Amino acid sequence: AMEELRLGPNGGMMYCMEFLEKNFDWLEEKLKALGDDYILFDFPGQVELFTHHNSVKVIIEKLQKLDYRLVTVHLVDAHYCTDPTKYISVLLLSLKTMLQIELPHINVLSKVDLMESYGKLAFNLEFYTEVQDLSYLLQHLDEDPFASRFKELNKALCDLVEDFSLVGFHTLCIEDKKSVLKLTQVIDRANGYAFGGLTHGNESIMMTAISGEPGFHDIMDVQER
């Protein structure tokens, strides 16, 4: 697409998504051939596709009409937590994506095992996963010679995130089997896969309910490791 239409990387990606939207029947036929498989759609990481461009949103809406039970899993590199300005940017990006896509949404801090190789965290990991009182983060921003020039803007952005009160994060270390399993359980709950069908004798709902909710309660264990 880039070569034939002389587009840059961003323009090429957006054109391809628009092309897929217009030719959705091709995707529908490919999916029908898979039957009732558990399907992962690995989207490109270009933020415009999920913040304000509509093709991805339209494609997702068409998939829902085909009775696919979808959940968005948004991966963010955990090392952004080591820089307050980048962390706020990640919060805004996550929030805008949640509002734009309108699906059950799971934000994930990936590569947590590499986080502190980029610098020390100002707070415990729980502060970043649960997006706690961001006023503490503003204090660190005020110490930055560049960021301190935008005190009012920084405060307004933090207030915006807190007012919506939607953003939170799970953690992922791909080398840790336990970490991957916990995140898989969270995803399967969000899209309903863990609950199975409502057929007679189906015990999966009860078994899932009594297995305990994976998620934020294990953050201290991740912090220790």
Side-chain angles (χ1 to χ4, degrees), residues 33-51:
L34 298 177
D36 293 330
D37 286 352
Y38 192 119
I39 300 171
L40 302 180
F41 297 95
D42 184 9
F43 282 85
Q46 185 178 343
V47 297
E48 297 98 312
L49 297 174
F50 314 105
T51 56

Side-chain angles (χ1 to χ4, degrees), residues 82-222:
T82 62
D83 185 325
T85 55
K86 291 180 180 178
Y87 178 65
I88 290 179
S89 297
V90 164
L91 293 178
L92 291 172
L93 173 61
S94 301
L95 177 60
K96 184 62 175 73
T97 302
M98 295 173 77
L99 297 176
Q100 171 77 359
I101 300 300
E102 296 181 317
L103 282 179
H105 193 103
I106 297 170
N107 294 305
V108 180
L109 293 176
S110 63
K111 306 176 184 176
V112 290
D113 53 321
L114 302 177
M115 183 187 300
E116 290 200 339
S117 64
Y118 293 90
K120 291 291 184 180
L121 294 177
F123 307 98
N124 285 335
L125 183 59
E126 187 178 17
F127 175 89
Y128 300 95
T129 57
E130 296 195 12
V131 191
Q132 298 173 351
D133 190 348
L134 296 181
S135 62
Y136 293 105
L137 198 66
L138 288 174
Q139 298 174 15
H140 285 263
L141 287 171
D142 291 343
E143 297 171 1
D144 186 312
F146 179 80
S148 62
R149 294 158 49 192
F150 307 99
K151 287 185 178 181
E152 293 301 318
L153 177 60
N154 293 333
K155 184 177 186 305
L157 294 176
C158 289
D159 288 345
L160 177 67
V161 173
E162 289 187 331
D163 286 346
F164 274 95
S165 191
L166 290 175
V167 184
F169 293 94
H170 294 272
T171 59
L172 174 64
C173 172
I174 196 63
E175 305 294 337
D176 183 353
K177 184 176 180 180
K178 181 180 178 182
S179 174
V180 176
L181 179 60
K182 282 181 176 289
L183 183 58
T184 302
Q185 291 174 334
V186 171
I187 294 169
D188 287 347
R189 285 169 179 266
N191 63 17
Y193 181 79
F195 301 107
L198 298 177
T199 57
H200 178 71
N202 179 20
E203 298 177 351
S204 62
I205 294 179
M206 182 61 69
M207 293 303 294
T208 302
I210 66 176
S211 64
E213 174 67 31
F216 296 128
H217 70 274
D218 67 327
I219 293 301
M220 295 310 296
D221 178 49
V222 176

